[in-house]
Amino acid sequence: MSETPRSADSPATVTSSGRGPLTWLVAGLAVVVIAVVGAVALLGGDDAEVPLAEDTTTGSGAGAGDEAQEADEAEPTVTRLDQGQETGRCMRPTAEALAEQPLALEGTVVGIDDGLAVLEPVEFYAGRATDRVEVVAPSESEQALIEGVALEEGARYLLAAADGRLLGCGLSGPAEPGLAEMYAEAFNR
């Protein structure tokens, strides 16, 4: 067959590139998926909480009293500890051993009722801070057996704990200078 020469005025021939309707459908779906993923990322697909600054405004604006009342009515957060039973002999307490404990705090006993001592925390050296700390107080005979901390109302204590149990053996006790120095060294204070 002979080829006919084309003139510049003749219409161009359209050739197919091999892209059928399925190819365009897949490409369109890819664009939609990318758009959805981008929108989720931009509009809050991350569940992490973003810390907000505390509201430090004061005034007589509407709702200011309502917020304060809601804060007063909120349940306090509580750390509850049992007196731990020491197994074996106690090692000499050190700042290094203390620094390894997951919970360490200073607090004042504000009440003891029915075998439960309630402390108001002054400072958390390690662990999650809570509004109050409750310690199941052992009987006097148990305190002698486990070398526990005898908690007295109105007294200030330095307490270390692991696995929900108060640690004795010199890591917890009244907030006296020697123990306070060990806490300061252990937690770089």
Side-chain angles (χ1 to χ4, degrees):
M1 215 184 211
S2 70
E3 205 169 297
T4 320
R6 271 187 340 147
S7 70
D9 295 334
S10 68
T13 309
V14 177
T15 59
S16 175
S17 66
R19 293 188 182 117
L22 182 60
T23 303
W24 292 109
L25 178 63
V26 170
L29 287 174
V31 169
V32 169
V33 168
I34 291 170
V36 168
V37 169
V40 168
L42 289 174
L43 299 176
D46 187 3
D47 290 338
E49 290 185 49
V50 177
L52 301 176
E54 258 186 61
D55 184 13
T56 57
T57 59
T58 58
S60 59
D66 295 339
E67 291 173 10
Q69 184 177 0
E70 285 177 22
D72 289 342
E73 292 175 6
E75 288 293 318
T77 55
V78 176
T79 299
R80 187 167 181 133
L81 302 171
D82 290 321
Q83 286 276 357
Q85 274 193 316
E86 304 299 334
T87 56
R89 297 179 141 182
C90 291
M91 295 181 66
R92 187 176 145 260
T94 64
E96 293 79 21
L98 179 60
E100 293 175 3
Q101 303 313 314
L103 180 67
L105 66 107
E106 180 177 354
T108 302
V109 177
V110 294
I112 299 176
D113 187 30
D114 201 26
L116 186 69
V118 178
L119 288 88
E120 182 177 299
V122 174
E123 180 176 4
F124 277 84
Y125 295 97
R128 186 175 68 91
T130 56
D131 297 323
R132 75 175 184 224
V133 177
E134 297 176 348
V135 179
V136 177
S139 67
E140 287 181 30
S141 61
E142 288 174 323
Q143 284 179 10
L145 287 173
I146 64 174
E147 297 185 38
V149 179
L151 300 173
E152 298 176 9
E153 191 167 346
R156 185 173 263 182
Y157 294 90
L158 291 161
L159 305 175
D163 300 322
R165 297 196 173 273
L166 190 63
L167 300 174
C169 290
L171 294 177
S172 297
E176 295 174 349
L179 188 57
E181 287 174 20
M182 186 169 58
Y183 272 69
E185 182 182 339
F187 301 105
N188 300 316
R189 302 290 161 96

